[in-house]
Amino acid sequence: ETVYLTEGEFDSIALESLGYNALAIPGAGNIPDKQKFVRLKPYKVIYCGDKDEAGNKLLNELSLIFRDMNKVLYFKELPAKDFNEYLQNVRG
């Protein structure tokens, strides 16, 4: 099963409205304790974050957390600032 990690609640809500499993990190500066990510070990986790400096910083920090768990963190780059903006563009 796949779980998408997003930077921000609205992106997570948008993904869930389409039927995807999604979890939000409230922002680049609000990363939960590393131990909480252990729950994601059975899942394929795809980070779908914002295309900005904070989003890149969050990706780097999450990559380290997942590396320490011996788990791959996948990354989906969107042609928009974030998933919510991407969805708005697609729905046009």
Side-chain angles (χ1 to χ4, degrees):
E1 202 168 340
T2 301
V3 174
Y4 290 87
L5 280 181
T6 66
E7 181 187 348
E9 294 87 348
F10 290 116
D11 295 330
S12 180
I13 291 167
L15 277 162
E16 287 183 344
S17 75
L18 296 173
Y20 295 97
N21 297 319
L23 296 171
I25 294 176
N30 295 313
I31 300 173
D33 184 81
K34 293 178 183 183
Q35 291 302 316
K36 293 196 178 203
F37 291 100
V38 172
R39 297 179 192 164
L40 298 176
K41 211 157 173 138
Y43 303 96
K44 177 180 181 179
V45 180
I46 301 174
Y47 174 68
C48 196
D50 292 1
K51 276 177 82 173
D52 59 14
E53 186 177 331
N56 290 332
K57 179 182 176 194
L58 180 55
L59 173 60
N60 290 334
E61 291 183 34
L62 290 172
S63 294
L64 293 174
I65 291 169
F66 278 76
R67 185 197 68 201
D68 289 347
M69 293 187 333
N70 294 319
K71 176 141 182 69
V72 174
L73 174 67
Y74 296 91
F75 170 67
K76 178 72 175 165
E77 187 171 343
L78 298 170
K81 178 190 173 289
D82 57 27
F83 186 79
N84 198 36
E85 183 178 288
Y86 171 72
L87 187 57
Q88 290 174 359
N89 292 340
V90 169
R91 290 184 175 171

Coordinates of all heavy atoms in Angstrom, one line a residue:
E1 N 0.8 -1.2 0.0 CA 0.0 0.0 0.0 C 0.9 1.2 0.0 O 2.0 1.2 0.6 CB -0.9 0.0 1.2 CG -2.1 0.8 1.0 CD -3.1 0.6 2.2 OE1 -3.1 -0.5 2.8 OE2 -4.0 1.4 2.3
T2 N 0.4 2.3 -0.6 CA 1.2 3.5 -0.7 C 0.6 4.6 0.1 O -0.7 4.8 0.2 CB 1.2 4.0 -2.2 OG1 1.7 3.0 -3.0 CG2 1.9 5.3 -2.4
V3 N 1.5 5.4 0.8 CA 1.1 6.6 1.6 C 1.8 7.8 1.0 O 3.0 7.7 0.8 CB 1.4 6.4 3.1 CG1 1.1 7.6 3.8 CG2 0.6 5.2 3.6
Y4 N 1.1 8.9 0.8 CA 1.7 10.1 0.4 C 1.9 11.0 1.6 O 1.0 11.2 2.4 CB 0.9 10.8 -0.7 CG 0.8 10.1 -2.0 CD1 -0.1 9.1 -2.2 CD2 1.7 10.4 -3.0 CE1 -0.2 8.4 -3.4 CE2 1.7 9.8 -4.2 CZ 0.7 8.8 -4.4 OH 0.7 8.1 -5.6
L5 N 3.1 11.6 1.7 CA 3.4 12.6 2.7 C 3.4 13.9 2.0 O 4.0 14.1 1.0 CB 4.8 12.4 3.3 CG 5.0 11.3 4.4 CD1 6.5 11.3 4.8 CD2 4.1 11.6 5.5
T6 N 2.7 14.9 2.6 CA 2.6 16.2 2.0 C 3.1 17.2 3.1 O 3.1 17.0 4.3 CB 1.2 16.6 1.6 OG1 0.3 16.7 2.8 CG2 0.6 15.5 0.7
E7 N 3.4 18.4 2.5 CA 3.8 19.5 3.4 C 2.6 20.4 3.4 O 2.3 21.2 2.5 CB 5.0 20.3 2.8 CG 5.4 21.5 3.6 CD 6.4 22.3 2.9 OE1 7.0 21.9 1.9 OE2 6.7 23.5 3.4
G8 N 1.8 20.2 4.5 CA 0.6 21.0 4.6 C -0.7 20.2 4.6 O -0.8 19.2 3.8
E9 N -1.7 20.6 5.4 CA -2.9 19.8 5.5 C -3.8 19.9 4.2 O -4.4 18.9 3.8 CB -3.7 20.3 6.7 CG -3.1 20.1 8.0 CD -2.1 21.2 8.4 OE1 -1.8 22.1 7.6 OE2 -1.7 21.2 9.6
F10 N -3.8 21.0 3.5 CA -4.6 21.1 2.3 C -4.2 20.2 1.2 O -5.1 19.6 0.5 CB -4.7 22.6 1.8 CG -5.4 23.5 2.7 CD1 -4.7 24.5 3.4 CD2 -6.8 23.3 3.0 CE1 -5.4 25.4 4.2 CE2 -7.4 24.2 3.8 CZ -6.8 25.2 4.5
D11 N -2.9 20.0 1.1 CA -2.5 19.0 0.1 C -2.9 17.6 0.4 O -3.3 16.8 -0.4 CB -0.9 19.1 -0.1 CG -0.5 20.4 -0.6 OD1 -1.3 21.0 -1.4 OD2 0.6 20.8 -0.3
S12 N -2.8 17.2 1.7 CA -3.2 15.9 2.1 C -4.7 15.7 1.9 O -5.2 14.7 1.5 CB -2.9 15.8 3.6 OG -3.3 14.5 4.1
I13 N -5.5 16.7 2.3 CA -7.0 16.7 2.1 C -7.3 16.5 0.6 O -8.2 15.7 0.2 CB -7.6 17.9 2.6 CG1 -7.5 17.9 4.2 CG2 -9.1 18.0 2.2 CD1 -7.9 19.2 4.8
A14 N -6.6 17.2 -0.3 CA -6.8 17.1 -1.7 C -6.5 15.7 -2.2 O -7.3 15.1 -3.0 CB -6.0 18.1 -2.5
L15 N -5.4 15.1 -1.8 CA -5.1 13.7 -2.2 C -6.1 12.7 -1.7 O -6.6 11.9 -2.4 CB -3.7 13.3 -1.7 CG -2.5 13.8 -2.5 CD1 -1.2 13.8 -1.7 CD2 -2.4 12.9 -3.7
E16 N -6.5 12.9 -0.4 CA -7.5 12.0 0.2 C -8.9 12.1 -0.6 O -9.6 11.1 -0.7 CB -7.7 12.3 1.7 CG -6.5 11.8 2.5 CD -6.7 11.9 4.0 OE1 -7.6 12.7 4.4 OE2 -5.9 11.3 4.7
S17 N -9.2 13.3 -1.0 CA -10.5 13.5 -1.7 C -10.5 12.7 -3.1 O -11.6 12.4 -3.6 CB -10.8 15.0 -2.0 OG -9.9 15.5 -3.1
L18 N -9.3 12.4 -3.5 CA -9.2 11.6 -4.8 C -9.0 10.1 -4.5 O -8.8 9.3 -5.4 CB -8.0 12.1 -5.6 CG -8.1 13.5 -6.1 CD1 -6.8 13.9 -6.8 CD2 -9.3 13.6 -7.1
G19 N -9.1 9.7 -3.2 CA -9.0 8.3 -2.8 C -7.6 7.8 -2.4 O -7.4 6.6 -2.3
Y20 N -6.6 8.7 -2.3 CA -5.3 8.3 -1.9 C -5.1 8.3 -0.4 O -5.8 9.1 0.3 CB -4.2 9.2 -2.6 CG -4.2 9.1 -4.1 CD1 -4.9 10.0 -4.9 CD2 -3.5 8.1 -4.7 CE1 -4.9 9.9 -6.3 CE2 -3.5 8.0 -6.1 CZ -4.2 8.9 -6.9 OH -4.1 8.8 -8.2
N21 N -4.2 7.5 0.1 CA -3.8 7.6 1.5 C -2.8 8.7 1.6 O -1.8 8.7 1.0 CB -3.2 6.3 2.0 CG -4.2 5.1 1.9 OD1 -5.3 5.3 2.2 ND2 -3.7 4.0 1.4
A22 N -3.1 9.7 2.5 CA -2.2 10.8 2.6 C -2.0 11.3 4.1 O -3.0 11.2 4.8 CB -2.6 12.0 1.8
L23 N -0.8 11.7 4.4 CA -0.6 12.2 5.8 C 0.1 13.6 5.6 O 1.0 13.7 4.7 CB 0.4 11.3 6.5 CG -0.2 9.9 6.9 CD1 1.0 9.1 7.5 CD2 -1.3 10.1 7.9
A24 N -0.3 14.5 6.4 CA 0.3 15.9 6.3 C 1.3 16.1 7.4 O 1.2 15.7 8.5 CB -0.8 16.9 6.5
I25 N 2.4 16.8 7.0 CA 3.3 17.4 7.9 C 3.0 18.8 7.9 O 3.0 19.5 6.8 CB 4.8 17.1 7.5 CG1 5.1 15.6 7.6 CG2 5.8 17.9 8.4 CD1 6.4 15.2 7.1
P26 N 2.6 19.4 9.1 CA 2.1 20.8 9.1 C 3.0 21.9 8.5 O 2.5 22.9 8.2 CB 1.9 21.0 10.6 CG 1.9 19.7 11.2 CD 2.7 18.8 10.4
G27 N 4.2 21.6 8.3 CA 5.2 22.5 7.7 C 6.6 22.0 7.9 O 6.9 21.1 8.6
A28 N 7.5 22.7 7.1 CA 8.9 22.2 7.1 C 9.5 22.3 8.5 O 10.4 21.5 8.8 CB 9.7 23.0 6.1
G29 N 9.0 23.2 9.3 CA 9.6 23.3 10.6 C 8.9 22.5 11.7 O 9.2 22.6 12.9
N30 N 7.9 21.7 11.3 CA 7.1 21.0 12.3 C 7.2 19.5 12.0 O 6.2 18.8 12.0 CB 5.6 21.4 12.2 CG 5.5 22.8 12.6 OD1 6.0 23.2 13.6 ND2 4.7 23.6 11.8
I31 N 8.4 18.9 11.8 CA 8.5 17.5 11.6 C 8.3 16.8 12.9 O 8.9 17.1 13.9 CB 9.9 17.2 11.0 CG1 10.2 18.0 9.7 CG2 10.1 15.7 10.9 CD1 11.6 17.8 9.2
P32 N 7.4 15.8 12.8 CA 7.2 15.0 14.0 C 8.4 14.2 14.5 O 9.4 14.1 13.7 CB 6.1 13.9 13.6 CG 5.5 14.5 12.3 CD 6.6 15.4 11.7
D33 N 8.4 13.7 15.7 CA 9.5 12.9 16.2 C 9.8 11.7 15.3 O 8.8 11.1 14.7 CB 9.1 12.4 17.6 CG 10.2 11.7 18.3 OD1 11.1 12.3 18.8 OD2 10.2 10.4 18.2
K34 N 11.0 11.4 15.1 CA 11.4 10.3 14.2 C 10.7 9.0 14.5 O 10.4 8.3 13.6 CB 12.9 10.1 14.3 CG 13.8 11.3 13.8 CD 15.2 11.0 14.0 CE 16.0 12.2 13.5 NZ 17.5 11.9 13.6
Q35 N 10.4 8.7 15.8 CA 9.8 7.5 16.1 C 8.4 7.3 15.5 O 7.9 6.2 15.3 CB 9.7 7.3 17.6 CG 11.0 7.2 18.3 CD 11.8 5.9 17.8 OE1 11.2 4.9 17.6 NE2 13.0 6.1 17.5
K36 N 7.7 8.4 15.2 CA 6.4 8.4 14.6 C 6.4 7.8 13.2 O 5.5 7.2 12.7 CB 5.7 9.7 14.6 CG 5.4 10.1 16.0 CD 4.4 11.3 16.1 CE 4.2 11.5 17.6 NZ 2.9 12.2 17.8
F37 N 7.6 8.0 12.5 CA 7.7 7.5 11.1 C 7.9 6.0 11.1 O 7.6 5.4 10.0 CB 8.9 8.2 10.4 CG 8.6 9.7 10.2 CD1 9.1 10.6 11.0 CD2 7.8 10.1 9.1 CE1 8.8 12.0 10.8 CE2 7.5 11.4 8.9 CZ 8.1 12.4 9.7
V38 N 8.2 5.4 12.2 CA 8.3 3.9 12.2 C 7.0 3.2 11.8 O 7.0 2.2 11.1 CB 8.8 3.4 13.6 CG1 8.8 1.9 13.7 CG2 10.2 4.0 13.9
R39 N 5.9 3.8 12.1 CA 4.6 3.3 11.7 C 4.5 3.2 10.2 O 3.6 2.4 9.7 CB 3.5 4.2 12.2 CG 3.4 4.3 13.7 CD 2.3 5.2 14.1 NE 2.4 5.5 15.5 CZ 1.8 6.5 16.1 NH1 1.0 7.3 15.4 NH2 1.9 6.7 17.4
L40 N 5.2 3.9 9.4 CA 5.1 3.9 8.0 C 6.0 2.8 7.3 O 6.0 2.7 6.1 CB 5.5 5.3 7.4 CG 4.6 6.4 7.9 CD1 5.2 7.8 7.3 CD2 3.2 6.2 7.4
K41 N 6.7 2.1 8.1 CA 7.7 1.1 7.6 C 7.0 0.1 6.6 O 7.6 -0.3 5.6 CB 8.4 0.4 8.7 CG 9.8 0.0 8.3 CD 10.7 -0.2 9.5 CE 11.9 -0.8 8.9 NZ 13.1 -0.4 9.3
P42 N 5.8 -0.4 6.9 CA 5.2 -1.4 6.0 C 4.7 -0.8 4.6 O 4.3 -1.5 3.7 CB 4.0 -1.9 6.7 CG 4.0 -1.3 8.1 CD 5.0 -0.2 8.1
Y43 N 4.7 0.5 4.5 CA 4.1 1.2 3.3 C 5.2 1.7 2.4 O 6.3 2.1 2.8 CB 3.3 2.4 3.8 CG 2.2 1.9 4.7 CD1 2.3 2.1 6.1 CD2 1.0 1.4 4.2 CE1 1.3 1.7 7.0 CE2 0.0 1.0 5.1 CZ 0.1 1.1 6.5 OH -0.8 0.8 7.3
K44 N 4.8 1.9 1.1 CA 5.6 2.6 0.2 C 5.2 4.1 0.4 O 4.1 4.5 0.3 CB 5.3 2.3 -1.3 CG 6.0 3.1 -2.3 CD 5.6 2.7 -3.7 CE 6.4 3.5 -4.7 NZ 6.1 3.1 -6.1
V45 N 6.2 4.9 0.8 CA 6.0 6.3 1.2 C 6.5 7.2 0.1 O 7.7 7.1 -0.3 CB 6.6 6.6 2.5 CG1 6.4 8.1 2.9 CG2 6.1 5.7 3.6
I46 N 5.7 8.1 -0.4 CA 6.0 9.0 -1.5 C 5.8 10.5 -0.9 O 4.8 10.8 -0.5 CB 5.2 8.9 -2.7 CG1 5.3 7.5 -3.3 CG2 5.5 9.9 -3.8 CD1 4.4 7.1 -4.4
Y47 N 6.9 11.2 -0.9 CA 6.9 12.6 -0.5 C 6.4 13.5 -1.6 O 7.0 13.4 -2.7 CB 8.3 13.1 0.1 CG 8.3 14.5 0.4 CD1 7.6 15.0 1.4 CD2 9.1 15.4 -0.4 CE1 7.6 16.4 1.7 CE2 9.1 16.8 -0.1 CZ 8.4 17.2 1.0 OH 8.4 18.6 1.2
C48 N 5.4 14.3 -1.4 CA 4.9 15.1 -2.4 C 4.8 16.5 -1.8 O 3.7 17.0 -1.4 CB 3.5 14.6 -2.8 SG 2.8 15.2 -4.3
G49 N 6.0 17.2 -1.7 CA 6.0 18.4 -1.0 C 6.0 19.6 -1.9 O 6.0 19.6 -3.1
D50 N 6.1 20.8 -1.3 CA 6.1 22.1 -2.0 C 7.4 22.2 -2.8 O 8.5 21.8 -2.3 CB 6.0 23.2 -1.0 CG 4.6 23.3 -0.3 OD1 3.8 22.4 -0.6 OD2 4.4 24.2 0.5
K51 N 7.3 22.9 -3.9 CA 8.5 23.2 -4.7 C 9.1 24.6 -4.3 O 8.9 25.6 -5.0 CB 8.1 23.3 -6.2 CG 8.0 21.9 -6.9 CD 7.6 22.1 -8.3 CE 8.7 22.4 -9.2 NZ 8.3 22.4 -10.6
D52 N 9.7 24.6 -3.1 CA 10.3 25.8 -2.6 C 11.5 25.4 -1.7 O 11.7 24.2 -1.5 CB 9.3 26.8 -2.0 CG 8.6 26.1 -0.8 OD1 9.0 25.1 -0.3 OD2 7.6 26.7 -0.4
E53 N 12.1 26.4 -1.1 CA 13.3 26.1 -0.3 C 12.9 25.2 0.9 O 13.6 24.3 1.3 CB 13.9 27.4 0.2 CG 15.2 27.2 0.9 CD 15.9 28.5 1.3 OE1 15.7 29.5 0.6 OE2 16.6 28.5 2.3
A54 N 11.7 25.6 1.5 CA 11.3 24.9 2.7 C 10.9 23.4 2.4 O 11.2 22.5 3.1 CB 10.1 25.6 3.3
G55 N 10.3 23.2 1.2 CA 9.9 21.9 0.8 C 11.2 21.0 0.5 O 11.2 19.8 0.8
N56 N 12.2 21.6 -0.1 CA 13.5 20.9 -0.3 C 14.2 20.6 1.0 O 14.7 19.5 1.2 CB 14.4 21.7 -1.2 CG 13.9 21.8 -2.6 OD1 13.2 20.9 -3.1 ND2 14.2 22.9 -3.3
K57 N 14.1 21.5 2.0 CA 14.7 21.2 3.3 C 14.0 20.1 4.0 O 14.6 19.2 4.5 CB 14.6 22.5 4.2 CG 15.2 22.3 5.5 CD 15.0 23.5 6.4 CE 15.5 23.2 7.8 NZ 15.1 24.2 8.8
L58 N 12.6 20.1 3.9 CA 11.9 19.0 4.5 C 12.2 17.6 3.8 O 12.3 16.6 4.5 CB 10.4 19.3 4.3 CG 9.4 18.3 4.9 CD1 9.7 18.0 6.4 CD2 8.0 18.7 4.8
L59 N 12.3 17.7 2.5 CA 12.7 16.4 1.7 C 14.0 15.9 2.2 O 14.2 14.7 2.5 CB 12.7 16.7 0.2 CG 13.3 15.5 -0.6 CD1 12.4 14.3 -0.5 CD2 13.4 16.0 -2.1
N60 N 15.0 16.8 2.4 CA 16.3 16.3 2.9 C 16.2 15.7 4.3 O 16.8 14.7 4.6 CB 17.3 17.5 2.9 CG 17.7 17.9 1.5 OD1 17.6 17.1 0.5 ND2 18.0 19.2 1.3
E61 N 15.5 16.4 5.2 CA 15.3 15.9 6.5 C 14.6 14.5 6.6 O 15.0 13.6 7.3 CB 14.6 16.9 7.4 CG 15.5 18.1 7.6 CD 14.9 19.2 8.6 OE1 14.2 18.8 9.5 OE2 15.1 20.4 8.3
L62 N 13.5 14.4 5.8 CA 12.8 13.2 5.7 C 13.7 12.1 5.1 O 13.6 10.9 5.6 CB 11.5 13.3 4.9 CG 10.4 14.2 5.5 CD1 9.3 14.4 4.5 CD2 9.9 13.5 6.8
S63 N 14.5 12.4 4.1 CA 15.3 11.4 3.5 C 16.3 10.8 4.6 O 16.6 9.6 4.6 CB 16.1 12.0 2.4 OG 15.3 12.4 1.3
L64 N 16.8 11.7 5.4 CA 17.7 11.2 6.5 C 17.0 10.3 7.5 O 17.5 9.2 7.9 CB 18.3 12.4 7.2 CG 19.3 13.2 6.5 CD1 19.7 14.4 7.3 CD2 20.5 12.4 6.0
I65 N 15.8 10.7 7.9 CA 15.0 9.9 8.8 C 14.7 8.5 8.2 O 14.9 7.5 8.8 CB 13.6 10.6 9.1 CG1 13.9 11.8 10.0 CG2 12.7 9.6 9.8 CD1 12.7 12.7 10.2
F66 N 14.3 8.5 6.9 CA 14.0 7.2 6.3 C 15.2 6.4 6.0 O 15.2 5.1 6.2 CB 13.2 7.4 5.0 CG 11.7 7.6 5.2 CD1 11.3 8.8 5.7 CD2 10.8 6.6 5.0 CE1 9.9 9.0 6.0 CE2 9.5 6.8 5.2 CZ 9.0 8.0 5.7
R67 N 16.3 7.0 5.7 CA 17.6 6.3 5.6 C 18.0 5.6 6.9 O 18.4 4.4 6.9 CB 18.7 7.2 5.1 CG 20.0 6.5 4.8 CD 21.2 7.4 4.8 NE 21.4 7.9 6.2 CZ 22.1 9.0 6.5 NH1 22.6 9.7 5.5 NH2 22.3 9.4 7.7
D68 N 17.8 6.3 8.0 CA 18.1 5.7 9.3 C 17.2 4.5 9.6 O 17.6 3.7 10.4 CB 18.0 6.8 10.4 CG 19.1 7.8 10.3 OD1 20.1 7.6 9.6 OD2 19.0 8.9 11.0
M69 N 16.1 4.5 9.0 CA 15.2 3.3 9.2 C 15.4 2.2 8.2 O 14.7 1.3 8.1 CB 13.7 3.8 9.1 CG 13.2 4.7 10.2 SD 11.4 5.1 10.2 CE 10.9 5.0 8.5
N70 N 16.4 2.4 7.3 CA 16.7 1.5 6.2 C 15.5 1.4 5.3 O 15.1 0.3 4.9 CB 17.1 0.1 6.7 CG 18.5 0.2 7.4 OD1 19.4 0.9 6.9 ND2 18.6 -0.5 8.5
K71 N 14.8 2.5 5.0 CA 13.6 2.5 4.2 C 13.8 3.6 3.1 O 14.3 4.6 3.3 CB 12.4 2.9 5.0 CG 11.1 3.0 4.3 CD 10.0 2.5 5.0 CE 8.7 2.6 4.3 NZ 8.7 1.7 3.1
V72 N 13.3 3.3 1.9 CA 13.3 4.2 0.8 C 12.2 5.2 0.9 O 11.1 4.8 1.2 CB 13.2 3.4 -0.6 CG1 13.1 4.4 -1.7 CG2 14.4 2.5 -0.8
L73 N 12.5 6.5 0.7 CA 11.5 7.5 0.6 C 11.5 7.9 -0.8 O 12.5 8.4 -1.4 CB 11.9 8.7 1.5 CG 10.9 9.9 1.4 CD1 9.5 9.6 1.9 CD2 11.5 11.1 2.1
Y74 N 10.3 7.7 -1.5 CA 10.2 8.1 -2.9 C 9.8 9.6 -2.9 O 9.2 10.2 -1.9 CB 9.1 7.3 -3.5 CG 9.5 5.8 -3.6 CD1 9.2 4.9 -2.6 CD2 10.3 5.4 -4.7 CE1 9.6 3.6 -2.6 CE2 10.7 4.0 -4.7 CZ 10.4 3.2 -3.7 OH 10.7 1.9 -3.8
F75 N 10.0 10.2 -4.0 CA 9.7 11.7 -4.2 C 9.0 11.9 -5.5 O 9.4 11.4 -6.5 CB 11.0 12.4 -4.2 CG 10.9 13.9 -4.6 CD1 10.2 14.8 -3.8 CD2 11.5 14.3 -5.7 CE1 10.1 16.1 -4.1 CE2 11.4 15.6 -6.1 CZ 10.7 16.5 -5.3
K76 N 7.9 12.6 -5.4 CA 7.1 13.0 -6.6 C 7.2 14.5 -6.9 O 6.8 15.2 -6.1 CB 5.7 12.5 -6.5 CG 4.8 12.9 -7.6 CD 5.1 12.0 -8.8 CE 4.1 12.2 -9.9 NZ 4.5 11.7 -11.1
E77 N 7.9 14.8 -8.0 CA 8.0 16.3 -8.3 C 6.8 16.6 -9.2 O 6.5 16.0 -10.2 CB 9.3 16.5 -9.1 CG 9.5 18.0 -9.3 CD 10.9 18.3 -9.8 OE1 11.8 17.5 -9.7 OE2 11.0 19.5 -10.3
L78 N 6.1 17.7 -8.8 CA 4.9 18.1 -9.5 C 5.2 19.3 -10.3 O 6.1 20.1 -10.0 CB 3.8 18.5 -8.5 CG 3.3 17.4 -7.6 CD1 2.4 17.9 -6.5 CD2 2.6 16.3 -8.4
P79 N 4.5 19.5 -11.4 CA 4.6 20.7 -12.3 C 3.9 21.9 -11.7 O 3.3 22.7 -12.5 CB 4.1 20.3 -13.6 CG 3.0 19.3 -13.3 CD 3.5 18.6 -12.0
A80 N 3.8 22.1 -10.4 CA 3.2 23.2 -9.7 C 3.8 23.3 -8.3 O 4.6 22.5 -7.9 CB 1.7 22.9 -9.5
K81 N 3.4 24.4 -7.6 CA 4.0 24.7 -6.3 C 3.8 23.5 -5.3 O 4.7 23.1 -4.6 CB 3.5 26.0 -5.7 CG 4.0 26.3 -4.4 CD 3.3 27.5 -3.7 CE 3.7 27.7 -2.3 NZ 3.3 26.7 -1.4
D82 N 2.6 23.0 -5.3 CA 2.2 21.9 -4.4 C 1.1 21.1 -5.1 O 0.6 21.4 -6.1 CB 1.8 22.4 -3.0 CG 0.7 23.4 -3.0 OD1 -0.1 23.4 -4.0 OD2 0.7 24.3 -2.1
F83 N 0.6 20.1 -4.4 CA -0.4 19.2 -5.0 C -1.7 19.9 -5.1 O -2.4 19.8 -6.1 CB -0.6 17.9 -4.1 CG -1.6 17.0 -4.8 CD1 -1.1 16.2 -5.9 CD2 -2.9 16.9 -4.5 CE1 -2.0 15.4 -6.6 CE2 -3.8 16.1 -5.2 CZ -3.3 15.3 -6.2
N84 N -2.1 20.8 -4.1 CA -3.4 21.5 -4.2 C -3.4 22.4 -5.4 O -4.4 22.4 -6.2 CB -3.6 22.3 -2.9 CG -5.0 22.7 -2.7 OD1 -5.9 22.0 -3.1 ND2 -5.2 23.8 -2.2
E85 N -2.3 23.1 -5.7 CA -2.2 24.0 -6.9 C -2.2 23.1 -8.2 O -2.9 23.5 -9.1 CB -1.0 24.8 -6.8 CG -0.8 25.8 -8.0 CD 0.4 26.6 -7.9 OE1 0.5 27.5 -7.0 OE2 1.4 26.4 -8.7
Y86 N -1.6 22.0 -8.1 CA -1.6 21.1 -9.3 C -3.0 20.7 -9.6 O -3.4 20.7 -10.8 CB -0.7 19.9 -9.0 CG -0.8 18.8 -10.0 CD1 -0.2 19.0 -11.3 CD2 -1.4 17.6 -9.7 CE1 -0.3 18.0 -12.3 CE2 -1.5 16.6 -10.7 CZ -1.0 16.8 -11.9 OH -1.1 15.8 -12.9
L87 N -3.7 20.3 -8.6 CA -5.1 19.8 -8.8 C -6.0 20.9 -9.3 O -6.8 20.7 -10.2 CB -5.6 19.3 -7.4 CG -7.0 18.6 -7.5 CD1 -7.0 17.4 -8.4 CD2 -7.4 18.1 -6.1
Q88 N -5.8 22.1 -8.8 CA -6.6 23.2 -9.3 C -6.3 23.5 -10.8 O -7.2 23.8 -11.6 CB -6.3 24.5 -8.5 CG -6.9 24.5 -7.1 CD -6.5 25.6 -6.3 OE1 -5.7 26.5 -6.7 NE2 -6.9 25.7 -5.0
N89 N -5.0 23.4 -11.2 CA -4.7 23.6 -12.6 C -5.2 22.5 -13.5 O -5.7 22.8 -14.6 CB -3.1 23.6 -12.8 CG -2.5 24.8 -12.1 OD1 -3.2 25.8 -11.9 ND2 -1.2 24.7 -11.9
V90 N -5.3 21.3 -13.0 CA -5.8 20.1 -13.8 C -7.3 20.3 -14.0 O -7.8 20.0 -15.0 CB -5.5 18.8 -13.1 CG1 -6.2 17.6 -13.8 CG2 -4.0 18.5 -13.2
R91 N -8.0 20.7 -12.9 CA -9.4 20.9 -13.0 C -9.8 22.1 -13.7 O -11.0 22.2 -14.2 CB -10.0 20.9 -11.5 CG -10.0 19.6 -10.9 CD -10.6 19.6 -9.5 NE -10.6 18.3 -8.9 CZ -11.0 18.0 -7.7 NH1 -11.4 19.0 -6.9 NH2 -11.0 16.8 -7.2
G92 N -8.9 23.0 -13.9 CA -9.0 24.2 -14.6 C -10.2 25.0 -14.5 O -10.7 25.8 -15.1

